[in-house]
Amino acid sequence: MNSQMPIKLLFNRSVTVCMLVCLFWSMGMTFAQETLTVRKKINLPDFPEGAAYLLSRLSNDELLEVERQEAVYLAILIRDGLDLMVRMEAAKALSNTRGRTQLHQILDGLQRLEQFEEPHANTFIQLGHLLFKQPEDDLKQEKLPIQKMLGSSRHSQTRAILYAALIVIHQEVQSIWELASHSGADGKRGFLEGIQMIPDSGLLNQCYPLIQDLLQTSTSPPDLANAAMASAHITDKAQESFNTIKGLLLAGSQADGLIRALMMFQPKVWKEVALAPMMEWLVKEAKIYPIEGRSDVTFKLYRKFAEYLARYLPEAQANNLRKQFAAYGIRTLYLHVIPHVLQFDQKLLEVLKGEAVEIQIENSGVMPHNLVIGKPGSLLILGAAATQMMNRPEGRDGKKFVPDIPQTLLATPLIAPGQTETLRFVAPEIPGDYPYVCTYPG
């Protein structure tokens, strides 16, 4: 049975209104279904390097079709672009085969990722998610290997996971911060990024005084930006942190990192603060920004921030802000997947009818998502069609889990965890309710 949360794209005579909530299913789908799958046999070399190389030549779909054995599970554990559940299955199978904990297999996967020059972020996100699902007693038993790996790690994502693991093991923050500080800029960055992975609210609250001190005293732009982003994850202190970062922004501190941090706070925080000063600051900065630079990264960030502000401003102020930024070209809207909730962060987006629009969807979750726009009244039809694609995922234009039916208007491909996709279109002239859904089963 499908459990659906609908979203709408509502067009009236002058304004297009998009109400977005990710469609998802509670379908009881498990990978126990794999017992019914006939897998392809493959002859692998009997030495690990050769087996790993041969498997690396397979696409993700080909890899998942291969008969399971230890080398295949190892490849699945660290392969980019795979579903979290598949990776979880691999860690469990390796644990059974090798007689060591799942945590040990996850740490082994992180160690293997260190061999790659640029491993993809979503693999780290998923391994980190799996790591913090493991029993704390298992973590404590791996304390020395974690410390050893931390000393030799070269990827910031690895360091973030390991520093967070040490905080959980020690159940305190200050000594781990001192350890990170001795490792210079890389250590500080890893520690601050690691805070964003800590699942324990009590430990996060311990981080708050340290983060506040960094926000008030740091003269390093990267440290300031990372501290600001870490503070967004300390939900018990979110209001105080938001106001601190807001004050730093208005006082002229490094804007880019602070803006990115502010956009990480949950909607309920935005609704409780005075936004007019930030709107005035942003309009002033936009007006004096060189015209030739309005396609660069910083000005695009200003556009994004303007849209965030407009969501929570009174209607007249929001329309005025949008009108000012509309003069700069294509309108950009932004959506984030809320981790572990299977929803987009915005239920309402507004665009003018006939307006050139792009929606940037950032997948902050731990499994793939997409965005599908349908014709008016097609929500249930899209949901039913997507359900039928469970065993035949190929859809319109080769996009997986996108129903190839007349009711589908626009769609993104699957967006891997940690990745961003942009959907560009011209808003319809005809008024109506246009449903938005994520049709990936999960």
Side-chain angles (χ1 to χ4, degrees):
M1 180 175 294
N2 291 352
S3 173
Q4 299 180 356
M5 300 189 69
I7 52 179
K8 292 183 179 180
L9 181 56
L10 173 64
F11 294 96
N12 59 29
R13 295 180 180 177
S14 61
V15 174
T16 302
V17 179
C18 314
M19 296 184 66
L20 286 263
V21 177
C22 186
L23 172 71
F24 67 93
W25 294 269
S26 298
M27 307 180 76
M29 183 184 73
T30 71
F31 283 87
Q33 295 170 329
E34 292 187 352
T35 59
L36 304 177
T37 303
V38 178
R39 300 198 178 280
K40 297 178 180 179
K41 293 184 179 295
I42 185 172
N43 293 321
L44 295 174
D46 57 4
F47 58 101
E49 295 80 5
Y53 174 77
L54 183 59
L55 292 171
S56 73
R57 309 298 294 174
L58 303 180
S59 69
N60 285 1
D61 288 341
E62 291 170 336
L63 177 63
L64 294 178
E65 292 174 355
V66 170
E67 187 177 57
R68 298 291 194 259
Q69 50 186 293
E70 184 173 342
V72 175
Y73 282 123
L74 280 171
I76 289 173
L77 186 65
I78 62 174
R79 175 68 68 91
D80 181 57
L82 296 183
D83 187 86
L84 174 67
M85 295 299 293
V86 178
R87 226 179 288 280
M88 186 184 302
E89 177 209 7
K92 183 177 180 180
L94 287 169
S95 175
N96 292 335
T97 300
R98 295 168 161 182
R100 301 289 299 271
T101 64
Q102 290 187 47
L103 175 61
H104 185 84
Q105 313 313 318
I106 294 165
L107 291 173
D108 181 54
L110 290 173
Q111 189 69 62
R112 291 172 184 274
L113 287 177
E114 284 288 306
Q115 301 171 16
F116 296 96
E117 288 298 325
E118 294 184 5
H120 291 272
N122 73 296
T123 309
F124 281 107
I125 291 171
Q126 292 184 343
L127 288 180
H129 176 79
L130 292 179
L131 185 146
F132 290 107
K133 291 291 185 182
Q134 305 307 308
E136 285 189 18
D137 286 345
D138 289 354
L139 268 175
K140 291 176 181 177
Q141 291 178 14
E142 297 287 350
K143 174 182 172 181
L144 292 179
I146 287 172
Q147 290 176 331
K148 183 178 179 181
M149 191 187 306
L150 187 56
S152 61
S153 60
R154 58 176 180 154
H155 292 308
S156 62
Q157 300 99 321
T158 306
R159 290 191 291 271
I161 294 171
L162 298 178
Y163 275 120
L166 287 178
I167 291 173
V168 172
I169 290 170
H170 288 266
Q171 289 292 299
E172 66 93 24
V173 174
Q174 189 60 39
S175 66
I176 310 304
W177 169 245
E178 292 172 0
L179 175 67
S181 299
H182 288 316
S183 298
D186 287 343
K188 292 179 180 179
R189 176 185 175 186
F191 176 92
L192 293 169
E193 290 180 350
I195 287 176
Q196 302 172 36
M197 299 183 180
I198 296 173
D200 186 302
S201 61
L203 286 174
L204 285 173
N205 289 337
Q206 283 191 43
C207 296
Y208 179 73
L210 172 65
I211 296 299
Q212 285 297 304
D213 182 63
L214 285 172
L215 289 174
Q216 300 292 351
T217 63
S218 178
T219 58
S220 164
D223 285 355
L224 184 63
N226 287 324
M229 286 186 278
S231 71
H233 292 266
I234 307 175
T235 55
D236 289 348
K237 302 291 185 179
Q239 205 73 59
E240 297 93 325
S241 296
F242 190 101
N243 286 323
T244 297
I245 298 169
K246 170 187 167 185
L248 290 169
L249 179 69
L250 299 180
S253 296
Q254 296 288 331
D256 289 20
L258 297 177
I259 288 174
R260 289 189 175 91
L262 288 171
M263 292 189 295
M264 294 174 69
F265 284 85
Q266 295 182 13
K268 64 181 181 181
V269 180
W270 281 77
K271 293 175 183 178
E272 298 295 328
V273 297
L275 300 177
M278 285 194 292
M279 182 188 73
E280 294 168 2
W281 173 89
L282 183 59
V283 169
K284 178 182 176 181
E285 291 295 313
K287 284 182 178 179
I288 64 175
Y289 209 89
I291 294 177
E292 63 274 13
R294 289 180 178 172
S295 61
D296 66 18
V297 173
T298 296
F299 199 78
K300 288 181 179 179
L301 184 63
Y302 285 179
R303 286 182 184 277
K304 186 174 183 177
F305 193 46
E307 187 57 42
Y308 264 72
L309 281 168
R311 294 172 181 175
Y312 306 107
L313 287 168
E315 184 176 0
Q317 290 182 330
N319 289 339
N320 182 49
L321 182 60
R322 286 176 173 138
K323 186 179 297 183
Q324 293 186 66
F325 272 83
Y328 302 133
I330 189 170
R331 172 101 171 277
T332 304
L333 304 175
Y334 303 90
L335 286 174
H336 292 77
V337 175
I338 301 176
H340 317 302
V341 181
L342 298 179
Q343 292 183 7
F344 293 117
D345 66 336
Q346 293 301 312
K347 297 180 181 180
L348 179 66
L349 299 174
E350 294 183 355
V351 296
L352 300 174
K353 66 177 185 178
E355 184 178 16
V357 177
E358 66 176 21
I359 301 178
Q360 290 188 13
I361 307 100
E362 182 178 337
N363 185 0
S364 308
V366 296
M367 61 191 300
H369 290 278
N370 67 3
L371 184 66
V372 177
I373 302 177
K375 291 183 178 180
S378 65
L379 175 64
L380 296 179
I381 297 173
L382 287 172
T387 301
Q388 297 300 315
M389 300 180 72
M390 287 287 296
N391 297 318
R392 297 189 303 276
E394 292 300 328
R396 176 172 294 185
D397 300 325
K399 298 173 183 175
K400 291 187 176 181
F401 299 104
V402 174
D404 191 6
I405 57 177
Q407 287 80 6
T408 300
L409 292 180
L410 296 163
T412 68
L414 286 180
I415 310 167
Q419 302 299 306
T420 299
E421 182 68 36
T422 300
L423 181 65
R424 294 183 176 89
F425 60 96
V426 175
E429 295 282 353
I430 301 174
D433 294 354
Y434 292 74
Y436 263 70
V437 293
C438 168
T439 54
Y440 181 76

